[in-house]
Amino acid sequence: MSCFCPVQEEFYCEVLLLDETKLALTPRQQGIKYWLDSSKTLAEHKDLITTGPPYTLYFGVKFYAEDPCKLKEEITRYQFFLQVKQDVLQGRLPAPFDISVQLAALVIQSELGDYDPYKHLPGYVSEYRFVPDQKKELEDAVEQIHKSLTGQVPSEAELNYLGIAKALEMYGIDLHPVYGENQSEYFLGLTPVGVVVYKNKTQVGKYFWPRITKVYFKETQFELRVIGKDCSETSFFFKAHSKAACKNMWKCCVEHHTFFRMPENDANSLSRKLSKLGSLGSKHRYSGKTALQMGRDEYTNLPRTDLQVIRTRSKTYPKRPQQAAGEKVPLIKNEEPNEKSTAPWEENAPQRYCDYEDTPS
């Protein structure tokens, strides 16, 4: 499960780009995913981009919908489907074998349509990649399920895919590696409903946004303050791998809380309140629309009836050789590098604003 992989050994290296410029990689830059601010130019992202051009940017989902099946436009659901499919392939969204088979069969149905024995010859499933370290056992099971999906058009298959994937435990969780007591390794996961804590691949804590009253960072130390059912506050401290990673985790936490928790008026008033404290720390505030605002405003005229969805075929690979009696065929590893359930809102939780406090960087 690559999303819970141990901290890699530190190393330094240089990559020679096509224009013969050199890109230095250090431990500070490894494993941290940064989101670009759409209101800034690339030149203004000096803390993130130290070399280039050329630049390599990735387009992806930042805030995962709690129920992607409720997205109104087919084009949005399709883009979401592509992101979740990539999460499963790269190990960020682990799934049991039977669920992986169902998901993979829906991918094949969306890509190839109904099963046709004259077109889909034995081994056709092995031309596609669905999970890390894909084995023939999975491919054979996918072929059998694909035969039963007759009649599902691509949009229906993708919708069914999202309906299954949203129930997986790690769906939509933004993981950040940290250290706890005695240098124990933990992961803090940001979700639409709050923050989850993992240790040794097991969830050991879940804190809902209404009960989180403060997030704070200083250097590499990250504090999460939570109010208990007895109305007493408890602070949980974690240590990030670097100051940059800690600040990035704090920013992501602020943005997740604001996007999923803040109604329109409350978000505006809270931003004004916090902006007065800008001289005491980082001025980062989430300035985009919240989930509630998007539901009220932009989506009122959706879906657009004249919008066409152009689908792109997935990358294919050489077909797995067919196995003769008694012959062993090696497993197929993904050619792409492997990278990394949300619960309902807690009932009767006190409705409190979260105090985003930080220190100068």
Side-chain angles (χ1 to χ4, degrees), residues 8-270:
Q8 300 296 319
E9 182 180 354
E10 292 188 356
F11 67 92
Y12 295 82
C13 68
E14 288 185 342
V15 178
L16 182 63
L17 303 178
L18 293 178
D19 62 356
E20 298 187 353
T21 60
K22 290 184 178 181
L23 172 64
L25 298 180
T26 69
R28 178 184 177 276
Q29 298 166 306
Q30 297 166 18
I32 303 177
K33 177 175 62 180
Y34 294 99
W35 294 97
L36 298 184
D37 186 342
S38 59
S39 64
K40 296 181 179 180
T41 65
L42 285 177
E44 292 175 309
H45 288 87
K46 295 180 181 179
D47 54 333
L48 306 183
I49 301 176
T50 57
T51 61
Y55 305 106
T56 301
L57 306 178
Y58 296 91
F59 178 74
V61 174
K62 186 173 186 178
F63 302 114
Y64 283 73
E66 290 186 73
D67 187 353
C69 298
K70 292 183 178 179
L71 295 171
K72 293 186 177 182
E73 285 200 310
E74 182 181 338
I75 182 63
T76 308
R77 292 194 300 271
Y78 173 62
Q79 295 289 346
F80 221 93
F81 161 75
L82 294 179
Q83 174 71 74
V84 177
K85 184 179 71 168
Q86 193 74 358
D87 291 344
V88 175
L89 171 62
Q90 296 181 342
R92 292 189 297 269
L93 182 56
F97 178 83
D98 58 334
I99 300 299
S100 296
V101 170
Q102 294 179 48
L103 294 175
L106 289 166
V107 171
I108 289 293
Q109 179 68 22
S110 174
E111 294 262 350
L112 304 180
D114 293 346
Y115 174 80
D116 185 337
Y118 297 102
K119 292 192 304 182
H120 304 138
L121 303 179
Y124 72 98
V125 174
S126 67
E127 297 181 23
Y128 297 84
R129 298 294 178 266
F130 313 105
V131 296
D133 298 336
Q134 184 170 307
K135 296 181 174 63
K136 186 176 185 301
E137 179 186 9
L138 179 136
E139 295 164 3
D140 292 341
V142 169
E143 182 174 340
Q144 294 303 314
I145 293 185
H146 180 213
K147 295 176 181 179
S148 68
L149 299 179
T150 303
Q152 290 192 28
V153 297
S155 60
E156 184 179 358
E158 293 154 8
L159 186 65
N160 291 333
Y161 185 102
L162 293 174
I164 296 174
K166 71 179 183 181
L168 293 173
E169 181 183 356
M170 299 301 298
Y171 165 78
I173 296 183
D174 179 20
L175 287 176
H176 296 261
V178 293
Y179 293 112
E181 295 181 353
N182 302 321
Q183 288 295 297
S184 299
E185 294 180 354
Y186 289 84
F187 282 87
L188 294 187
L190 307 180
T191 78
V193 297
V195 179
V196 291
V197 183
Y198 291 92
K199 181 180 181 182
N200 297 328
K201 304 181 183 180
T202 302
Q203 186 181 119
V204 295
K206 179 181 292 185
Y207 309 110
F208 297 93
W209 291 126
R211 291 192 177 275
I212 297 175
T213 59
K214 181 178 181 181
V215 287
Y216 170 86
F217 85 95
K218 182 177 182 181
E219 298 295 331
T220 61
Q221 181 173 277
F222 183 83
E223 176 187 355
L224 192 67
R225 188 174 298 176
V226 182
I227 186 170
K229 294 183 178 180
D230 59 354
C231 294
S232 63
E233 286 188 325
T234 304
S235 289
F236 299 91
F237 294 92
F238 302 92
K239 186 175 181 180
H241 296 87
S242 66
K243 181 179 178 181
C246 193
K247 184 174 182 179
N248 180 61
M249 179 168 57
W250 174 82
K251 285 183 176 181
C252 292
C253 194
V254 169
E255 292 173 346
H256 270 72
H257 178 273
T258 307
F259 182 82
F260 289 109
R261 273 299 295 168
M262 289 296 171
E264 179 177 357
N265 294 333
D266 292 340
N268 291 338
S269 61
L270 183 62

Side-chain angles (χ1 to χ4, degrees), residues 297-313:
D297 302 335
E298 294 184 16
Y299 286 178
T300 54
N301 297 323
L302 298 181
R304 293 165 287 185
T305 56
D306 58 344
L307 189 65
Q308 292 185 342
V309 180
I310 301 176
R311 289 174 169 80
T312 304
R313 293 289 294 273

